[in-house]
Amino acid sequence: MAEADAQRPCILVVDDEPNVCDSVRDLLRRDYRVLTATSAEEGCRLLRDQSVQVLLTDQRMPRVSGVELLETARAANPQVTRLMFSGFADFDSILAAINQGQVFEFLRKPWNPDTLLDTVRRAVVEAHRQTRLAEETRQMQLEIQTLRARVDQLESEVGRLSGTAPGFG
């Protein structure tokens, strides 16, 4: 059971209201491994310690806002798809979430369960796409390093040959 649970995408829900965390967990737990945190600090710890694909956070929390948490999450792990929800959806919060936290989607509280499920499904697909893209980028960077080393080796060989072989230089 624990191994099967580890294979499911992981969703981290951060909200200072425990009943909100519980409601989202109850809605998502059939399809996802759901972690909850009631503070941004606890959410950051879980992001460091767990393999999280989707972060869903409230905007208005004590000490650290949802936007600040999204910025931290983006800097630490850009492949985490970031969602925000709030019962106080003012324009400035939405704009900050988009510009600073690069939020995938903004949801209003109270949410429609079907809308939340659909949004999380799309966010998981995006997280997988981001992970694949990061891996492909890493592979390409390794290939470029290999090719540069080969070019350096060939240039060195050409230099060696042009200095000693008749007819070169």
Side-chain angles (χ1 to χ4, degrees):
M1 171 86 175
E3 188 176 317
D5 194 48
Q7 297 299 318
R8 298 188 308 164
C10 183
I11 314 301
L12 172 58
V13 181
V14 182
D15 195 305
D16 60 317
E17 297 178 45
N19 61 334
V20 171
C21 290
D22 293 342
S23 294
V24 175
R25 182 179 47 233
D26 289 346
L27 181 64
L28 300 176
R29 70 179 175 200
R30 296 182 85 160
D31 298 320
Y32 305 102
R33 186 168 64 97
V34 181
L35 306 174
T36 61
T38 56
S39 71
E41 294 82 2
E42 184 182 2
C44 284
R45 182 184 55 77
L46 287 169
L47 281 169
R48 272 192 317 272
D49 297 344
Q50 301 289 322
S51 176
V52 174
Q53 283 73 47
V54 176
L55 167 62
L56 172 59
T57 184
D58 187 26
Q59 165 55 12
R60 290 194 177 183
M61 295 185 291
R63 294 184 300 283
V64 178
S65 73
V67 168
E68 292 169 314
L69 175 59
L70 292 173
E71 284 182 281
T72 300
R74 190 185 99 223
N77 186 349
Q79 288 80 38
V80 171
T81 301
R82 295 164 301 280
L83 305 173
M84 178 178 282
F85 57 5
S86 182
F88 307 96
D90 63 275
F91 181 75
D92 290 338
S93 292
I94 295 170
L95 195 59
I98 292 168
N99 291 337
Q100 296 168 319
Q102 295 184 355
V103 70
F104 179 73
E105 193 154 325
F106 192 98
L107 300 160
R108 284 188 185 268
K109 285 182 184 178
W111 61 83
N112 174 301
D114 291 332
T115 301
L116 181 60
L117 280 168
D118 180 60
T119 300
V120 169
R121 282 186 196 111
R122 288 185 296 107
V124 167
V125 168
E126 177 63 14
H128 288 309
R129 188 185 75 77
Q130 289 292 329
T131 300
R132 276 192 321 274
L133 182 62
E135 179 58 26
E136 288 171 4
T137 300
R138 190 184 71 74
Q139 289 292 339
M140 284 186 215
Q141 288 170 339
L142 288 173
E143 186 67 24
I144 289 168
Q145 287 176 349
T146 301
L147 290 171
R148 282 186 178 148
R150 182 67 178 138
V151 166
D152 289 346
Q153 180 185 21
L154 290 171
E155 285 176 345
S156 176
E157 184 68 15
V158 166
R160 187 183 66 76
L161 291 173
S162 66
T164 60
F168 290 103

